[in-house]
Amino acid sequence: MAHNLNEKDGKVSMFYHGDVPWHGLGKRVDKMATASEAIKFANMDFTVKKAPIVANYNGEMLKVEDKFATLRTDTKQVLGTVGARYEIVQNTDAFSFFDTLVGEGEAMYETAGVLGKGQVIWILAKLPGFIKVNKEDIVDKYLLLMNSHNGTSSLRAKLTPVRVVCENTLNAALGSRRKQSDEVRIQHTASAHDRLEQAHKLLGLSNAIYNDLGEIFSKMSVTSITGTQLIDYVKTLVPDNEDAVKFNTRTENIREKILSLHESGRGSDMARGTVWGAYNSCTEYVDHVWGKNTTQDKKLESMWLGAGATMKEKAFSLALELVEIKK
C-alpha cells in the first residue's frame, strides 16, 4: 500500500513497539523507547529553520516581506511557508515537552514517526494503568503528540484511550463536561514555549480526566439500548446528505455497516445491546473500516485528528445523552 511516511537513506522514518502497524513499515524495537531513543529510531533527529523567501523578477531577486520558508537543515527540503511571528518547535523540544507532561520515567513510547518530507511528526506514549469497563473490558491510557513544521497546525497533545480487545481509539469530547479539556493546542508563536508550561499544568490532570472516562464508560456498559434507539443513534450520527439528489446509497451503507459491527464486530460479545457497544461500533468503523482506499498515514491522521476523530467525538456525545450523564 502506498504511504506518506518519510524515508531517509532508504529507511522509513518510524519506529514501533508491539504489533506490526502499516504492513511492517518502520523499525521494530523490543521494548518501550525513551525520548532520546525514539528520536533516533524514527529518524527525527533533524532540525528545522526559517529562511527568507525571494521572488525572481526579470533576474532581480526580491525579498518577500513577512514570509519565510521552513526547511530541514539536513536535507535542505522546504516544508512550508510561515509568517514572521511563527516560532519553530524543534523535534527535541517537542519530545521534552511530552516528557514533562507525563513525568520522567513514566512515559512508555510505543510509536513515533515522520510524515511527508518532515512536515508532521507524532509520538504516542502508553501511560501507566488502565480503565476496566464492566470487569473484563480493558481500555489502555495513551497520550498523543502531533507537531507540524509547515504552518498548517499547532502543536497538539491529547489523551487517546484505546480499547484493547479491538484496538479502537476512543476519542471523547469532554470539553463541555469539565473546565479542562482533554486536548491542548499550542500555537507556533513567540510565546509557544511559555504555553508549554501551561499545557503541562493542564495535562497534569490526565489522571482525573481518565477517572471521569472510567465512570462514563462503565455507565455506558450497563445502560441497555433497544433496537429502535440504536437505529436512531446511528441515523443521528450519520445524517442524510441534503445535497444528494437521489437516495444516498453511501450514507445507508455506512449506517448498515455500523449496525452490523454492533452485532458482530470486534469485542461485540462484551458490549452488544448496550450504549457502550453502540459507541464502539462507531469507533471500530472509523478505525478499521473507513478509508480502505486511502493511505494508512492519511487514515491515521483522520482517526486521531481529522474527520474520523470528529465522527467519534460526536458518537461519544450522543452516547452521553443516552445514559443521561449530567454535566
Side-chain angles (χ1 to χ4, degrees):
M1 177 178 289
H3 64 86
N4 190 37
L5 291 168
N6 176 256
E7 292 189 24
K8 182 180 179 182
D9 300 327
K11 298 180 180 179
V12 174
S13 299
M14 173 185 166
F15 90 91
Y16 64 90
H17 166 74
D19 294 337
V20 180
W22 294 330
H23 305 279
L25 294 173
K27 176 183 177 66
R28 186 181 187 280
V29 298
D30 295 328
K31 62 178 182 178
M32 300 288 184
T34 64
S36 59
E37 289 172 338
I39 290 175
K40 293 180 180 179
F41 291 158
N43 291 332
M44 285 188 188
D45 49 349
F46 63 86
T47 57
V48 178
K49 67 174 294 184
K50 289 199 303 185
I53 297 177
V54 296
N56 186 337
Y57 179 71
N58 293 334
E60 182 181 1
M61 306 305 291
L62 305 174
K63 182 179 178 181
V64 179
E65 297 295 333
D66 299 323
K67 293 292 182 182
F68 295 83
T70 54
L71 58 85
R72 286 181 61 160
T73 58
D74 57 342
T75 63
K76 306 300 189 294
Q77 291 173 303
V78 174
L79 305 179
T81 303
V82 299
R85 294 182 64 247
Y86 182 94
E87 180 178 322
I88 292 170
V89 178
Q90 301 292 352
N91 296 341
T92 52
D93 294 331
F95 275 78
S96 298
F97 158 59
F98 207 58
D99 277 338
T100 63
L101 290 182
V102 296
E104 184 177 358
E106 294 182 11
M108 297 177 286
Y109 298 88
E110 283 202 351
T111 183
V114 182
L115 298 181
K117 299 175 183 178
Q119 289 95 329
V120 177
I121 66 166
W122 86 86
I123 180 171
L124 186 68
K126 186 176 185 299
L127 302 180
F130 54 85
I131 298 171
K132 185 177 289 188
V133 182
N134 201 18
K135 297 183 179 180
E136 56 180 352
D137 209 347
I138 303 299
V139 175
D140 280 334
K141 303 176 182 179
Y142 282 88
L143 189 60
L144 168 70
L145 177 76
M146 294 190 78
N147 187 31
S148 74
H149 291 305
N150 59 1
T152 59
S153 68
S154 54
L155 177 65
R156 302 178 68 174
K158 65 183 297 183
L159 303 176
T160 307
V162 178
R163 188 184 182 211
V164 175
V165 69
C166 51
E167 298 181 339
N168 291 352
T169 52
L170 306 176
N171 296 48
L174 287 174
S176 62
R177 286 181 47 80
R178 54 188 301 127
K179 294 180 180 179
Q180 296 83 16
S181 174
D182 59 334
E183 177 177 343
V184 171
R185 301 188 185 198
I186 302 168
Q187 301 300 321
H188 288 263
T189 65
S191 61
H193 291 287
D194 292 336
R195 295 188 182 187
L196 296 184
E197 184 176 354
Q198 298 175 18
H200 166 65
K201 294 178 181 178
L202 180 59
L203 284 186
L205 297 171
S206 61
N207 286 336
I209 294 174
Y210 269 121
N211 285 340
D212 276 3
L213 284 176
E215 294 178 6
I216 292 169
F217 292 163
S218 292
K219 187 160 187 179
M220 287 182 182
S221 73
V222 296
T223 302
S224 298
I225 187 170
T226 66
T228 300
Q229 286 176 318
L230 178 61
I231 291 173
D232 288 343
Y233 174 84
V234 174
K235 284 185 176 181
T236 305
L237 179 65
V238 188
D240 292 330
N241 185 349
E242 296 180 357
D243 296 328
V245 178
K246 297 181 179 180
F247 179 77
N248 196 326
T249 303
R250 181 177 180 274
T251 296
E252 195 61 29
N253 287 341
I254 294 173
R255 292 172 177 170
E256 289 298 328
K257 185 59 182 178
I258 294 175
L259 290 171
S260 69
L261 290 173
H262 181 75
E263 295 300 318
S264 58
R266 308 180 187 193
S268 59
D269 57 319
M270 303 168 67
R272 189 183 300 112
T274 67
V275 175
W276 176 241
Y279 171 46
N280 274 279
S281 64
C282 169
T283 60
E284 182 176 349
Y285 173 77
V286 173
D287 290 352
H288 303 290
V289 180
W290 196 7
K292 284 188 175 181
N293 296 323
T294 190
T295 58
Q296 294 288 43
D297 53 281
K298 292 293 185 183
K299 184 174 181 179
L300 175 74
E301 187 173 0
S302 174
M303 63 187 258
W304 275 348
L305 300 169
T310 300
M311 184 176 184
K312 288 190 287 186
E313 289 169 0
K314 182 179 179 181
F316 179 81
S317 296
L318 292 173
L320 281 182
E321 294 176 10
L322 287 172
V323 298
E324 298 181 344
I325 297 178
K326 305 300 181 182
K327 295 181 181 180

